[in-house]
Amino acid sequence: NAGVMQNPRHLVRRRGQEARLRCSPMKGHSHVYWYRQLPEEGLKFMVYLQKENIIDESGMPKERFSAEFPKEGPSILRIQQVVRGDSAAYFCASSPSLGGYNEQFFGPGTRLTVL
Amino acid sequence: DQQVKQNSPSLSVQEGRISILNCDYTNSMFDYFLWYKKYPAEGPTFLISISSIKDKNEDGRFTVFLNKSAKHLSLHIVPSQPGDSAVYFCAARPSNTGNQFYFGTGTSLTVIP
């Protein structure tokens, strides 16, 4: 049973370009979460999605960032017009259900570098 | 607003001794707490959890203690092994939201052989 998969593992973009980060949850998981880890900081929640629905985007910057989890295919975190401050590790996690206590399973992360 | 705090950025322990990692939180709505372990260039992996109805949970060498009145939890690793060297993150989930986790900033544990 494959774990959470993220690609690319490393992404380099110039200022003003777009970054698209992909996440495939574990098989059987329908909940996806995106976190960002800036240098020397912990993981900061960005957005929580279920298939075709954004459940909680309270951690997403208001501009340039968007996320989706379509009916088919991976979840996508999209950053438009990237700036140097977007350089970070972006982690995706998935969980099987909301009810009860469920840990989240993390992918290996995508390291975004903005030149 | 850091609702989960790990005030020790690093900790060094001799192999075989006990490692104690601490975590403090401010939100009284947190009802589920977890510890994650992270190696460089990898994602965090789940280690152990505890719900707010308990004060202790044990899994092999790992024990998590929860003191709700002090809003404090700790992770004990005994005996510590060199393979335990990693960054440990404390996380908490409030009961009044979905499944959003709040993470601490991490403690880097080094176990010296």
Side-chain angles (χ1 to χ4, degrees), chain A:
Chain A
N1 187 12
V4 177
M5 299 175 69
Q6 289 187 250
N7 68 81
R9 293 293 306 275
H10 300 274
L11 182 61
V12 179
R13 285 287 177 266
R14 296 192 180 279
R15 279 180 296 170
Q17 291 184 318
E18 178 180 289
R20 291 171 73 90
L21 288 64
R22 295 174 185 77
C23 169
S24 297
M26 285 181 70
K27 188 176 181 181
H29 287 192
S30 58
H31 300 251
V32 166
Y33 315 82
W34 285 94
Y35 292 85
R36 176 166 66 173
Q37 185 181 22
L38 294 169
E40 309 301 323
E41 293 190 13
L43 286 85
K44 291 279 183 5
F45 168 80
M46 298 181 74
V47 62
Y48 162 37
L49 311 104
Q50 296 179 27
K51 285 283 187 182
E52 300 184 279
N53 282 306
I54 296 174
I55 306 303
D56 181 353
E57 57 181 347
S58 57
M60 286 274 271
K62 294 283 187 278
E63 297 176 351
R64 302 187 298 109
F65 285 73
S66 62
E68 62 176 9
F69 189 15
K71 188 176 180 181
E72 301 290 337
S75 175
I76 306 285
L77 179 67
R78 184 180 175 209
I79 311 172
Q80 295 178 289
Q81 299 173 348
V82 296
V83 301
R84 288 231 172 95
D86 296 333
S87 295
Y90 291 82
F91 291 96
C92 167
S94 71
S95 69
S97 68
L98 181 60
Y101 298 117
N102 290 291
E103 66 266 24
Q104 295 175 9
F105 296 83
F106 281 81
T110 293
R111 298 196 176 277
L112 172 65
T113 302
V114 179
L115 302 177

Side-chain angles (χ1 to χ4, degrees), chain B residues 98-113:
Chain B
N99 212 27
Q100 177 186 149
F101 287 4
Y102 291 83
F103 280 82
T105 51
T107 297
S108 178
L109 172 67
T110 302
V111 179
I112 304 163

